[in-house]
Amino acid sequence: EIERIEKLLEMDFLSDDDDFEAAAKTFFRECYPDVEALYTCHSSYHGPTNMMTEEFVTLIQGGRFFGALCYLQTNNLSPILLVTEPSASLAQASKYLDETSLKKLAQRAWNQTNTSSRALFQDREDDSWAAEAFAAGHKFFGEAMAKIDKFGAWLEGKVDEDKRAAFLNKLVMSFWYFDDFMKEEDFEKIWKNNARLVRS
C-alpha cells in the first residue's frame, strides 16, 4: 500500500483549477503533512485515534483517495466552507456570531446533505457527492446567516446589543433550538420560545 499512501499524500488527484478541490487540497495538506499524521489523525475523548482501518484501506484500494481523506476527517469538511466563497465573506461580515458559532454553523451546513451517513459516503461508487455537499453547504450557510441577521435586527429594542449577540450564539450552538429556528418563519414565536436563553 506504500504507493497508494504516497499518492494520497501528494494529492495530485485534486485540481488546482476547481475552487472546491483546491481548497480541499490546502485543507488536507495542512491536516496530513506526512505519513505519521495519517496514523494519529482524529482526536477523541481518549486522545488521538488511528483511523487507518479496514474501511480506509478499502477506499484507497478502490481508488477513492478523496473519500479516504474524508474518512480520516470523519467526513467533516466544514472548515472548507469558511475559507471559500460565498461563506467566507459572510462569516467575516458577521455582526453577531463569534468564531465558535461560525464553525458550528458551518458544520451544520456541511451535514445538510447527510454526508456522514454510510450509505451516502462509504458505500458510494465515487466521490461526486462532495461537490454537491459543498454547494449545498454554501447555500444553507448563506440562508442561515441571512435569517440570523434579520432576526438580530428584529430583536433591536427588545434585547441589549451585547445580550443580543450572546443570545444568537446560544441559539446556533444548540441543535434543538437552532433546528426550530430555521423551520419557524414567525420571529415573534421564535422569540417567545427562546427568550429564556437571554437569561441563561
Side-chain angles (χ1 to χ4, degrees):
E1 303 296 337
I2 295 178
E3 291 184 4
R4 289 193 176 96
I5 293 295
E6 289 177 346
K7 183 174 181 178
L8 187 76
L9 291 174
E10 288 170 357
M11 302 186 195
D12 289 338
F13 53 88
L14 292 170
S15 172
D16 293 322
D17 298 325
D18 180 90
D19 289 343
F20 170 61
E21 291 191 13
K25 181 185 289 189
T26 299
F27 173 69
F28 284 133
R29 281 181 171 170
E30 290 176 354
C31 293
Y32 312 114
D34 50 41
V35 174
E36 183 179 355
L38 293 175
Y39 284 91
T40 55
C41 57
H42 177 59
S43 295
S44 68
Y45 292 112
H46 305 291
T49 301
N50 181 2
M51 292 291 289
M52 295 183 72
T53 62
E54 182 180 346
E55 288 83 357
F56 169 81
V57 173
T58 298
L59 286 167
I60 61 171
Q61 286 180 339
R64 290 185 58 190
F65 295 101
F66 183 86
L69 289 170
C70 291
Y71 177 80
L72 295 180
Q73 283 294 120
T74 62
N75 197 33
N76 177 21
L77 303 190
S78 60
I80 298 176
L81 293 176
L82 293 176
V83 295
T84 50
E85 298 300 339
S87 297
S89 293
L90 293 174
Q92 291 174 358
S94 176
K95 185 177 180 180
Y96 303 107
L97 302 187
D98 58 25
E99 183 179 356
T100 300
S101 294
L102 287 167
K103 288 180 179 179
K104 174 62 73 173
L105 182 58
Q107 189 171 355
R108 295 190 192 288
W110 177 256
N111 288 333
Q112 285 308 297
T113 52
N114 293 318
T115 52
S116 58
S117 166
R118 179 180 175 85
L120 292 178
F121 170 45
Q122 289 174 235
D123 292 343
R124 284 196 171 189
E125 295 182 358
D126 57 42
D127 293 310
S128 59
W129 60 268
E132 298 169 8
F134 181 64
H138 275 306
K139 182 176 183 293
F140 182 88
F141 190 90
E143 292 172 349
M145 288 296 291
K147 189 166 186 177
I148 289 167
D149 285 344
K150 288 181 181 178
F151 187 47
W154 184 88
L155 287 171
E156 290 183 11
K158 293 181 175 62
V159 185
D160 293 340
E161 185 174 353
D162 58 335
K163 291 183 178 180
R164 189 160 68 243
F167 167 64
L168 290 168
N169 279 282
K170 288 179 181 178
L171 201 63
V172 170
M173 293 300 293
S174 168
F175 175 81
W176 300 112
Y177 291 140
F178 184 74
D179 189 49
D180 289 342
F181 168 75
M182 291 301 294
K183 291 177 181 177
E184 180 59 64
E185 297 296 330
D186 188 335
F187 283 169
E188 190 69 50
K189 287 185 179 179
I190 294 174
W191 170 240
K192 182 179 179 180
N193 292 337
N194 299 284
R196 61 187 176 280
L197 292 178
V198 176
R199 299 185 295 272
S200 62

PDB file of all heavy atoms in Angstrom, residues 172-197:
ATOM      1  N   VAL A 172     -27.439  29.224  17.937  1.00  0.00           N
ATOM      2  CA  VAL A 172     -26.704  28.466  16.923  1.00  0.00           C
ATOM      3  C   VAL A 172     -26.042  27.228  17.525  1.00  0.00           C
ATOM      4  O   VAL A 172     -25.997  26.162  16.903  1.00  0.00           O
ATOM      5  CB  VAL A 172     -25.634  29.354  16.246  1.00  0.00           C
ATOM      6  CG1 VAL A 172     -24.701  28.515  15.372  1.00  0.00           C
ATOM      7  CG2 VAL A 172     -26.304  30.426  15.401  1.00  0.00           C
ATOM      8  N   MET A 173     -25.541  27.354  18.735  1.00  0.00           N
ATOM      9  CA  MET A 173     -24.805  26.253  19.357  1.00  0.00           C
ATOM     10  C   MET A 173     -25.704  25.111  19.816  1.00  0.00           C
ATOM     11  O   MET A 173     -25.239  23.988  19.998  1.00  0.00           O
ATOM     12  CB  MET A 173     -23.997  26.776  20.547  1.00  0.00           C
ATOM     13  CG  MET A 173     -22.870  27.717  20.151  1.00  0.00           C
ATOM     14  SD  MET A 173     -21.643  26.953  19.049  1.00  0.00           S
ATOM     15  CE  MET A 173     -20.915  25.739  20.153  1.00  0.00           C
ATOM     16  N   SER A 174     -26.988  25.378  19.989  1.00  0.00           N
ATOM     17  CA  SER A 174     -27.923  24.332  20.421  1.00  0.00           C
ATOM     18  C   SER A 174     -28.591  23.697  19.210  1.00  0.00           C
ATOM     19  O   SER A 174     -29.242  24.378  18.422  1.00  0.00           O
ATOM     20  CB  SER A 174     -28.994  24.918  21.345  1.00  0.00           C
ATOM     21  OG  SER A 174     -30.043  23.995  21.539  1.00  0.00           O
ATOM     22  N   PHE A 175     -28.461  22.389  19.081  1.00  0.00           N
ATOM     23  CA  PHE A 175     -29.048  21.693  17.934  1.00  0.00           C
ATOM     24  C   PHE A 175     -30.559  21.881  17.883  1.00  0.00           C
ATOM     25  O   PHE A 175     -31.124  22.231  16.848  1.00  0.00           O
ATOM     26  CB  PHE A 175     -28.713  20.198  17.988  1.00  0.00           C
ATOM     27  CG  PHE A 175     -29.382  19.396  16.905  1.00  0.00           C
ATOM     28  CD1 PHE A 175     -28.852  19.365  15.624  1.00  0.00           C
ATOM     29  CD2 PHE A 175     -30.553  18.694  17.159  1.00  0.00           C
ATOM     30  CE1 PHE A 175     -29.477  18.643  14.613  1.00  0.00           C
ATOM     31  CE2 PHE A 175     -31.174  17.967  16.163  1.00  0.00           C
ATOM     32  CZ  PHE A 175     -30.645  17.937  14.890  1.00  0.00           C
ATOM     33  N   TRP A 176     -31.223  21.649  19.016  1.00  0.00           N
ATOM     34  CA  TRP A 176     -32.683  21.692  19.028  1.00  0.00           C
ATOM     35  C   TRP A 176     -33.206  23.101  18.812  1.00  0.00           C
ATOM     36  O   TRP A 176     -34.126  23.312  18.016  1.00  0.00           O
ATOM     37  CB  TRP A 176     -33.215  21.139  20.344  1.00  0.00           C
ATOM     38  CG  TRP A 176     -32.812  19.722  20.576  1.00  0.00           C
ATOM     39  CD1 TRP A 176     -31.958  19.246  21.529  1.00  0.00           C
ATOM     40  CD2 TRP A 176     -33.209  18.576  19.804  1.00  0.00           C
ATOM     41  NE1 TRP A 176     -31.796  17.892  21.406  1.00  0.00           N
ATOM     42  CE2 TRP A 176     -32.564  17.449  20.369  1.00  0.00           C
ATOM     43  CE3 TRP A 176     -34.050  18.397  18.709  1.00  0.00           C
ATOM     44  CZ2 TRP A 176     -32.729  16.165  19.860  1.00  0.00           C
ATOM     45  CZ3 TRP A 176     -34.221  17.120  18.202  1.00  0.00           C
ATOM     46  CH2 TRP A 176     -33.566  16.021  18.775  1.00  0.00           C
ATOM     47  N   TYR A 177     -32.619  24.080  19.485  1.00  0.00           N
ATOM     48  CA  TYR A 177     -33.081  25.452  19.329  1.00  0.00           C
ATOM     49  C   TYR A 177     -32.861  25.943  17.899  1.00  0.00           C
ATOM     50  O   TYR A 177     -33.723  26.590  17.310  1.00  0.00           O
ATOM     51  CB  TYR A 177     -32.344  26.383  20.303  1.00  0.00           C
ATOM     52  CG  TYR A 177     -32.690  26.174  21.754  1.00  0.00           C
ATOM     53  CD1 TYR A 177     -31.711  26.232  22.734  1.00  0.00           C
ATOM     54  CD2 TYR A 177     -34.002  25.906  22.157  1.00  0.00           C
ATOM     55  CE1 TYR A 177     -32.024  26.040  24.075  1.00  0.00           C
ATOM     56  CE2 TYR A 177     -34.327  25.713  23.489  1.00  0.00           C
ATOM     57  CZ  TYR A 177     -33.331  25.779  24.446  1.00  0.00           C
ATOM     58  OH  TYR A 177     -33.639  25.584  25.763  1.00  0.00           O
ATOM     59  N   PHE A 178     -31.698  25.615  17.344  1.00  0.00           N
ATOM     60  CA  PHE A 178     -31.385  26.102  16.004  1.00  0.00           C
ATOM     61  C   PHE A 178     -32.245  25.442  14.946  1.00  0.00           C
ATOM     62  O   PHE A 178     -32.679  26.087  13.985  1.00  0.00           O
ATOM     63  CB  PHE A 178     -29.898  25.876  15.690  1.00  0.00           C
ATOM     64  CG  PHE A 178     -29.487  26.439  14.366  1.00  0.00           C
ATOM     65  CD1 PHE A 178     -29.340  27.801  14.197  1.00  0.00           C
ATOM     66  CD2 PHE A 178     -29.279  25.609  13.271  1.00  0.00           C
ATOM     67  CE1 PHE A 178     -28.973  28.333  12.965  1.00  0.00           C
ATOM     68  CE2 PHE A 178     -28.920  26.132  12.046  1.00  0.00           C
ATOM     69  CZ  PHE A 178     -28.768  27.501  11.893  1.00  0.00           C
ATOM     70  N   ASP A 179     -32.497  24.162  15.122  1.00  0.00           N
ATOM     71  CA  ASP A 179     -33.349  23.449  14.174  1.00  0.00           C
ATOM     72  C   ASP A 179     -34.741  24.083  14.131  1.00  0.00           C
ATOM     73  O   ASP A 179     -35.302  24.305  13.047  1.00  0.00           O
ATOM     74  CB  ASP A 179     -33.450  21.976  14.579  1.00  0.00           C
ATOM     75  CG  ASP A 179     -34.138  21.130  13.520  1.00  0.00           C
ATOM     76  OD1 ASP A 179     -33.767  21.226  12.343  1.00  0.00           O
ATOM     77  OD2 ASP A 179     -35.060  20.373  13.874  1.00  0.00           O
ATOM     78  N   ASP A 180     -35.291  24.385  15.288  1.00  0.00           N
ATOM     79  CA  ASP A 180     -36.597  25.049  15.356  1.00  0.00           C
ATOM     80  C   ASP A 180     -36.526  26.450  14.756  1.00  0.00           C
ATOM     81  O   ASP A 180     -37.470  26.897  14.086  1.00  0.00           O
ATOM     82  CB  ASP A 180     -37.076  25.135  16.806  1.00  0.00           C
ATOM     83  CG  ASP A 180     -37.471  23.771  17.361  1.00  0.00           C
ATOM     84  OD1 ASP A 180     -37.698  22.850  16.557  1.00  0.00           O
ATOM     85  OD2 ASP A 180     -37.528  23.631  18.595  1.00  0.00           O
ATOM     86  N   PHE A 181     -35.426  27.134  14.999  1.00  0.00           N
ATOM     87  CA  PHE A 181     -35.230  28.491  14.480  1.00  0.00           C
ATOM     88  C   PHE A 181     -35.290  28.509  12.953  1.00  0.00           C
ATOM     89  O   PHE A 181     -35.926  29.371  12.338  1.00  0.00           O
ATOM     90  CB  PHE A 181     -33.881  29.037  14.959  1.00  0.00           C
ATOM     91  CG  PHE A 181     -33.437  30.295  14.266  1.00  0.00           C
ATOM     92  CD1 PHE A 181     -34.031  31.515  14.564  1.00  0.00           C
ATOM     93  CD2 PHE A 181     -32.413  30.266  13.328  1.00  0.00           C
ATOM     94  CE1 PHE A 181     -33.620  32.682  13.924  1.00  0.00           C
ATOM     95  CE2 PHE A 181     -31.990  31.418  12.691  1.00  0.00           C
ATOM     96  CZ  PHE A 181     -32.598  32.631  12.986  1.00  0.00           C
ATOM     97  N   MET A 182     -34.629  27.540  12.319  1.00  0.00           N
ATOM     98  CA  MET A 182     -34.598  27.501  10.861  1.00  0.00           C
ATOM     99  C   MET A 182     -35.950  27.108  10.267  1.00  0.00           C
ATOM    100  O   MET A 182     -36.287  27.515   9.155  1.00  0.00           O
ATOM    101  CB  MET A 182     -33.511  26.532  10.378  1.00  0.00           C
ATOM    102  CG  MET A 182     -32.097  27.017  10.641  1.00  0.00           C
ATOM    103  SD  MET A 182     -31.729  28.621   9.862  1.00  0.00           S
ATOM    104  CE  MET A 182     -31.810  28.196   8.120  1.00  0.00           C
ATOM    105  N   LYS A 183     -36.740  26.337  11.014  1.00  0.00           N
ATOM    106  CA  LYS A 183     -38.042  25.896  10.495  1.00  0.00           C
ATOM    107  C   LYS A 183     -39.130  26.956  10.684  1.00  0.00           C
ATOM    108  O   LYS A 183     -40.050  27.053   9.871  1.00  0.00           O
ATOM    109  CB  LYS A 183     -38.465  24.604  11.204  1.00  0.00           C
ATOM    110  CG  LYS A 183     -37.623  23.393  10.850  1.00  0.00           C
ATOM    111  CD  LYS A 183     -38.066  22.172  11.659  1.00  0.00           C
ATOM    112  CE  LYS A 183     -37.228  20.953  11.331  1.00  0.00           C
ATOM    113  NZ  LYS A 183     -37.608  19.793  12.175  1.00  0.00           N
ATOM    114  N   GLU A 184     -39.026  27.731  11.750  1.00  0.00           N
ATOM    115  CA  GLU A 184     -40.069  28.695  12.088  1.00  0.00           C
ATOM    116  C   GLU A 184     -39.861  30.023  11.344  1.00  0.00           C
ATOM    117  O   GLU A 184     -38.765  30.568  11.329  1.00  0.00           O
ATOM    118  CB  GLU A 184     -40.087  28.953  13.599  1.00  0.00           C
ATOM    119  CG  GLU A 184     -41.139  29.938  14.060  1.00  0.00           C
ATOM    120  CD  GLU A 184     -42.538  29.500  13.689  1.00  0.00           C
ATOM    121  OE1 GLU A 184     -42.993  28.451  14.200  1.00  0.00           O
ATOM    122  OE2 GLU A 184     -43.167  30.201  12.870  1.00  0.00           O
ATOM    123  N   GLU A 185     -40.937  30.540  10.712  1.00  0.00           N
ATOM    124  CA  GLU A 185     -40.851  31.794   9.974  1.00  0.00           C
ATOM    125  C   GLU A 185     -41.277  33.003  10.812  1.00  0.00           C
ATOM    126  O   GLU A 185     -40.916  34.136  10.512  1.00  0.00           O
ATOM    127  CB  GLU A 185     -41.721  31.721   8.717  1.00  0.00           C
ATOM    128  CG  GLU A 185     -41.287  30.654   7.720  1.00  0.00           C
ATOM    129  CD  GLU A 185     -39.907  30.925   7.148  1.00  0.00           C
ATOM    130  OE1 GLU A 185     -39.531  32.109   7.049  1.00  0.00           O
ATOM    131  OE2 GLU A 185     -39.198  29.951   6.825  1.00  0.00           O
ATOM    132  N   ASP A 186     -42.044  32.750  11.858  1.00  0.00           N
ATOM    133  CA  ASP A 186     -42.581  33.827  12.691  1.00  0.00           C
ATOM    134  C   ASP A 186     -41.571  34.205  13.772  1.00  0.00           C
ATOM    135  O   ASP A 186     -41.350  33.456  14.719  1.00  0.00           O
ATOM    136  CB  ASP A 186     -43.889  33.362  13.334  1.00  0.00           C
ATOM    137  CG  ASP A 186     -44.613  34.489  14.057  1.00  0.00           C
ATOM    138  OD1 ASP A 186     -43.950  35.458  14.483  1.00  0.00           O
ATOM    139  OD2 ASP A 186     -45.846  34.391  14.209  1.00  0.00           O
ATOM    140  N   PHE A 187     -40.934  35.387  13.638  1.00  0.00           N
ATOM    141  CA  PHE A 187     -39.926  35.818  14.604  1.00  0.00           C
ATOM    142  C   PHE A 187     -40.508  35.979  16.009  1.00  0.00           C
ATOM    143  O   PHE A 187     -39.829  35.755  17.009  1.00  0.00           O
ATOM    144  CB  PHE A 187     -39.282  37.127  14.156  1.00  0.00           C
ATOM    145  CG  PHE A 187     -38.273  36.960  13.051  1.00  0.00           C
ATOM    146  CD1 PHE A 187     -37.765  38.067  12.383  1.00  0.00           C
ATOM    147  CD2 PHE A 187     -37.815  35.701  12.680  1.00  0.00           C
ATOM    148  CE1 PHE A 187     -36.826  37.926  11.375  1.00  0.00           C
ATOM    149  CE2 PHE A 187     -36.882  35.541  11.671  1.00  0.00           C
ATOM    150  CZ  PHE A 187     -36.390  36.652  11.017  1.00  0.00           C
ATOM    151  N   GLU A 188     -41.777  36.368  16.075  1.00  0.00           N
ATOM    152  CA  GLU A 188     -42.405  36.542  17.383  1.00  0.00           C
ATOM    153  C   GLU A 188     -42.458  35.194  18.122  1.00  0.00           C
ATOM    154  O   GLU A 188     -42.186  35.124  19.333  1.00  0.00           O
ATOM    155  CB  GLU A 188     -43.826  37.088  17.205  1.00  0.00           C
ATOM    156  CG  GLU A 188     -44.495  37.531  18.496  1.00  0.00           C
ATOM    157  CD  GLU A 188     -43.861  38.775  19.094  1.00  0.00           C
ATOM    158  OE1 GLU A 188     -43.671  39.770  18.376  1.00  0.00           O
ATOM    159  OE2 GLU A 188     -43.531  38.726  20.307  1.00  0.00           O
ATOM    160  N   LYS A 189     -42.772  34.132  17.400  1.00  0.00           N
ATOM    161  CA  LYS A 189     -42.812  32.804  18.013  1.00  0.00           C
ATOM    162  C   LYS A 189     -41.405  32.342  18.409  1.00  0.00           C
ATOM    163  O   LYS A 189     -41.219  31.728  19.468  1.00  0.00           O
ATOM    164  CB  LYS A 189     -43.432  31.801  17.040  1.00  0.00           C
ATOM    165  CG  LYS A 189     -44.929  31.937  16.860  1.00  0.00           C
ATOM    166  CD  LYS A 189     -45.464  30.836  15.969  1.00  0.00           C
ATOM    167  CE  LYS A 189     -46.977  30.954  15.795  1.00  0.00           C
ATOM    168  NZ  LYS A 189     -47.516  29.889  14.899  1.00  0.00           N
ATOM    169  N   ILE A 190     -40.438  32.630  17.552  1.00  0.00           N
ATOM    170  CA  ILE A 190     -39.057  32.256  17.858  1.00  0.00           C
ATOM    171  C   ILE A 190     -38.608  32.925  19.153  1.00  0.00           C
ATOM    172  O   ILE A 190     -38.013  32.298  20.030  1.00  0.00           O
ATOM    173  CB  ILE A 190     -38.102  32.645  16.708  1.00  0.00           C
ATOM    174  CG1 ILE A 190     -38.417  31.817  15.454  1.00  0.00           C
ATOM    175  CG2 ILE A 190     -36.643  32.432  17.118  1.00  0.00           C
ATOM    176  CD1 ILE A 190     -37.633  32.239  14.230  1.00  0.00           C
ATOM    177  N   TRP A 191     -38.926  34.201  19.271  1.00  0.00           N
ATOM    178  CA  TRP A 191     -38.551  34.958  20.467  1.00  0.00           C
ATOM    179  C   TRP A 191     -39.260  34.406  21.701  1.00  0.00           C
ATOM    180  O   TRP A 191     -38.637  34.203  22.744  1.00  0.00           O
ATOM    181  CB  TRP A 191     -38.862  36.427  20.259  1.00  0.00           C
ATOM    182  CG  TRP A 191     -38.736  37.275  21.492  1.00  0.00           C
ATOM    183  CD1 TRP A 191     -39.701  38.006  22.096  1.00  0.00           C
ATOM    184  CD2 TRP A 191     -37.552  37.474  22.265  1.00  0.00           C
ATOM    185  NE1 TRP A 191     -39.208  38.650  23.198  1.00  0.00           N
ATOM    186  CE2 TRP A 191     -37.892  38.334  23.322  1.00  0.00           C
ATOM    187  CE3 TRP A 191     -36.242  36.998  22.173  1.00  0.00           C
ATOM    188  CZ2 TRP A 191     -36.967  38.742  24.288  1.00  0.00           C
ATOM    189  CZ3 TRP A 191     -35.319  37.387  23.131  1.00  0.00           C
ATOM    190  CH2 TRP A 191     -35.676  38.255  24.170  1.00  0.00           C
ATOM    191  N   LYS A 192     -40.537  34.143  21.569  1.00  0.00           N
ATOM    192  CA  LYS A 192     -41.321  33.632  22.694  1.00  0.00           C
ATOM    193  C   LYS A 192     -40.791  32.276  23.166  1.00  0.00           C
ATOM    194  O   LYS A 192     -40.718  32.013  24.375  1.00  0.00           O
ATOM    195  CB  LYS A 192     -42.788  33.506  22.289  1.00  0.00           C
ATOM    196  CG  LYS A 192     -43.700  33.027  23.408  1.00  0.00           C
ATOM    197  CD  LYS A 192     -45.148  32.943  22.931  1.00  0.00           C
ATOM    198  CE  LYS A 192     -46.066  32.447  24.048  1.00  0.00           C
ATOM    199  NZ  LYS A 192     -47.480  32.356  23.598  1.00  0.00           N
ATOM    200  N   ASN A 193     -40.408  31.429  22.220  1.00  0.00           N
ATOM    201  CA  ASN A 193     -39.951  30.082  22.567  1.00  0.00           C
ATOM    202  C   ASN A 193     -38.521  30.038  23.099  1.00  0.00           C
ATOM    203  O   ASN A 193     -38.136  29.066  23.765  1.00  0.00           O
ATOM    204  CB  ASN A 193     -40.032  29.166  21.339  1.00  0.00           C
ATOM    205  CG  ASN A 193     -41.463  28.896  20.921  1.00  0.00           C
ATOM    206  OD1 ASN A 193     -42.396  29.007  21.718  1.00  0.00           O
ATOM    207  ND2 ASN A 193     -41.648  28.557  19.650  1.00  0.00           N
ATOM    208  N   ASN A 194     -37.736  31.076  22.808  1.00  0.00           N
ATOM    209  CA  ASN A 194     -36.315  31.023  23.164  1.00  0.00           C
ATOM    210  C   ASN A 194     -35.822  32.180  24.032  1.00  0.00           C
ATOM    211  O   ASN A 194     -34.629  32.273  24.297  1.00  0.00           O
ATOM    212  CB  ASN A 194     -35.471  30.982  21.882  1.00  0.00           C
ATOM    213  CG  ASN A 194     -35.766  29.753  21.035  1.00  0.00           C
ATOM    214  OD1 ASN A 194     -35.336  28.656  21.339  1.00  0.00           O
ATOM    215  ND2 ASN A 194     -36.518  29.958  19.952  1.00  0.00           N
ATOM    216  N   ALA A 195     -36.720  33.042  24.468  1.00  0.00           N
ATOM    217  CA  ALA A 195     -36.313  34.216  25.244  1.00  0.00           C
ATOM    218  C   ALA A 195     -35.544  33.842  26.501  1.00  0.00           C
ATOM    219  O   ALA A 195     -34.698  34.603  26.967  1.00  0.00           O
ATOM    220  CB  ALA A 195     -37.551  35.057  25.624  1.00  0.00           C
ATOM    221  N   ARG A 196     -35.804  32.638  27.042  1.00  0.00           N
ATOM    222  CA  ARG A 196     -35.115  32.209  28.250  1.00  0.00           C
ATOM    223  C   ARG A 196     -33.601  32.101  28.057  1.00  0.00           C
ATOM    224  O   ARG A 196     -32.833  32.145  29.027  1.00  0.00           O
ATOM    225  CB  ARG A 196     -35.661  30.883  28.740  1.00  0.00           C
ATOM    226  CG  ARG A 196     -35.502  29.731  27.749  1.00  0.00           C
ATOM    227  CD  ARG A 196     -36.230  28.484  28.232  1.00  0.00           C
ATOM    228  NE  ARG A 196     -36.192  27.388  27.291  1.00  0.00           N
ATOM    229  CZ  ARG A 196     -36.986  27.299  26.233  1.00  0.00           C
ATOM    230  NH1 ARG A 196     -37.860  28.254  25.988  1.00  0.00           N
ATOM    231  NH2 ARG A 196     -36.889  26.263  25.412  1.00  0.00           N
ATOM    232  N   LEU A 197     -33.151  31.959  26.812  1.00  0.00           N
ATOM    233  CA  LEU A 197     -31.720  31.865  26.545  1.00  0.00           C
ATOM    234  C   LEU A 197     -30.986  33.162  26.893  1.00  0.00           C
ATOM    235  O   LEU A 197     -29.789  33.151  27.171  1.00  0.00           O
ATOM    236  CB  LEU A 197     -31.463  31.514  25.073  1.00  0.00           C
ATOM    237  CG  LEU A 197     -31.884  30.127  24.612  1.00  0.00           C
ATOM    238  CD1 LEU A 197     -31.608  29.952  23.126  1.00  0.00           C
ATOM    239  CD2 LEU A 197     -31.140  29.043  25.409  1.00  0.00           C
TER     240      LEU A 197
END
